[in-house]
Amino acid sequence: MTTTMPAPETTVTPPVPRRRLIRFGGVQLMHLYTWLIIGWLILPILVMILFGFNNPSGRYNQTWQGFTLKWYGQLFALEDLTSALILSLVIAIAASVISAALGTGIGYALGRHRFRGAGGMNLIMFATMSSPELVMGASLLTLFVSLGVGLGPLTITIAHVMFSISFVATVVRARVLTLDRSLEEAAADLGANAWTTFWKVTFPIILPAVFSGFMLAFALSVDDFVVTNFTAGTSVTFPLWIWGATRVGLPPQVNVMGTLIFAAGVLIAVLTSIRSRPRRQTG
């Protein structure tokens, strides 16, 4: 009797669907597009950093003529530029602190409570953020002149607070909307009043959002030119000084100061990112 052995089964690999190939190519294309955009955005910053090491023959830094580190040692050699930078930093700190204090309260109220006028408040905030700076600067100038307020550092600070509050409130409101209310309810069950609950429970949770709003307000204040130009009077901030110096050429100290400000911002962002990472529990 002859026994017929069954033929071994052969595994046939199905062809890769065409959709998967197209999908894979689309992902790679998006990665390439993203890196191109990042490179385009960071290119002016790299040029600024590079020209901070330039060694021009004259005072102004227009063409590359050699490598040097001397401008980091002569960072504060130009007194008017140093004064403009100090004024910008002082105004930015004051405006950021005031904006963070006021914007945190507004953002918390809009994110936690439902009250009459909340929709109008949201509309005003987004209108402030989306309105052209030219319109805001001209309107604030008209307001200060009508009230007889002399233009100077005080009016610049008020103007910067006016457009920074909305950004802080929006960031804080977004965090409050995702806040777990059971934590506050637990604090209330343990006998804490509303004020104690806010400072002991709520505020530490929303503190990263408050800090983010503070840093955003600080960056907007240091960078602002249009509104500051309307409300500065005879005061000269860092952006106004740079605008005036572009008519003849920028000294290398401007690039050095810009590089240091950028490096400080990157350092703060990295430290904040590291601190916000979830900690591993060891047991």
Side-chain angles (χ1 to χ4, degrees):
M1 184 175 181
T2 305
T3 303
T4 304
M5 300 295 293
E9 297 181 358
T10 57
T11 304
V12 179
T13 304
V16 179
R18 187 177 180 182
R19 290 183 179 179
R20 184 179 299 177
L21 294 175
I22 297 176
R23 190 176 181 183
F24 178 78
V27 171
Q28 297 299 320
L29 183 62
M30 288 301 299
H31 288 172
L32 177 62
Y33 173 77
T34 302
W35 281 110
L36 287 176
I37 294 299
I38 293 175
W40 173 259
L41 294 175
I42 204 172
L43 180 61
I45 300 176
L46 295 178
V47 173
M48 176 192 67
I49 296 174
L50 177 64
F51 272 82
F53 300 99
N54 189 24
N55 187 22
S57 56
R59 177 183 178 184
Y60 298 105
N61 193 17
Q62 296 177 338
T63 58
W64 180 260
Q65 301 181 20
F67 181 85
T68 183
L69 294 173
K70 67 179 181 180
W71 304 118
Y72 283 83
Q74 302 177 14
L75 180 61
F76 304 110
L78 302 177
E79 294 183 2
D80 50 351
L81 176 58
T82 303
S83 300
L85 177 63
I86 294 175
L87 179 61
S88 289
L89 293 178
V90 171
I91 292 175
I93 293 174
S96 301
V97 171
I98 299 173
S99 300
L102 299 178
T104 299
I106 297 173
Y108 179 80
L110 292 175
R112 175 50 50 90
H113 304 289
R114 298 293 178 265
F115 54 92
R116 182 176 299 178
M121 181 65 70
N122 282 320
L123 179 61
I124 292 174
M125 285 198 314
F126 286 104
T128 303
M129 291 188 295
S130 60
S131 64
E133 288 187 303
L134 185 65
V135 175
M136 178 172 291
S139 61
L140 287 172
L141 175 61
T142 304
L143 175 63
F144 294 142
V145 172
S146 301
L147 296 177
V149 180
L151 301 180
L154 178 61
T155 54
I156 298 175
T157 304
I158 295 174
H160 288 190
V161 171
M162 291 290 291
F163 64 75
S164 297
I165 287 178
S166 299
F167 291 93
V168 178
T170 302
V171 174
V172 175
R173 176 180 177 270
R175 180 63 185 93
V176 172
L177 288 174
T178 61
L179 185 64
D180 188 3
R181 292 196 176 187
S182 62
L183 299 175
E184 296 177 330
E185 294 173 356
D189 291 339
L190 294 174
N193 56 28
W195 186 256
T196 303
T197 301
F198 176 80
W199 285 110
K200 296 295 185 180
V201 178
T202 307
F203 186 74
I205 297 176
I206 67 173
L207 182 59
V210 176
F211 181 74
S212 299
F214 172 86
M215 293 303 301
L216 180 59
F218 183 86
L220 291 172
S221 178
V222 171
D223 179 67
D224 184 76
F225 170 79
V226 178
V227 177
T228 304
N229 193 31
F230 277 95
T231 59
T234 58
S235 301
V236 180
T237 61
F238 188 57
L240 294 180
W241 194 95
I242 293 177
W243 176 75
T246 52
R247 302 174 183 178
V248 292
L250 293 177
Q253 284 89 343
V254 172
N255 300 91
V256 175
M257 289 180 178
T259 301
L260 295 178
I261 293 174
F262 173 74
V266 172
L267 179 61
I268 293 174
V270 171
L271 293 178
T272 304
S273 177
I274 294 175
R275 188 174 181 180
S276 62
R277 289 180 180 178
R279 298 180 180 179
R280 296 180 179 179
Q281 296 181 355
T282 58

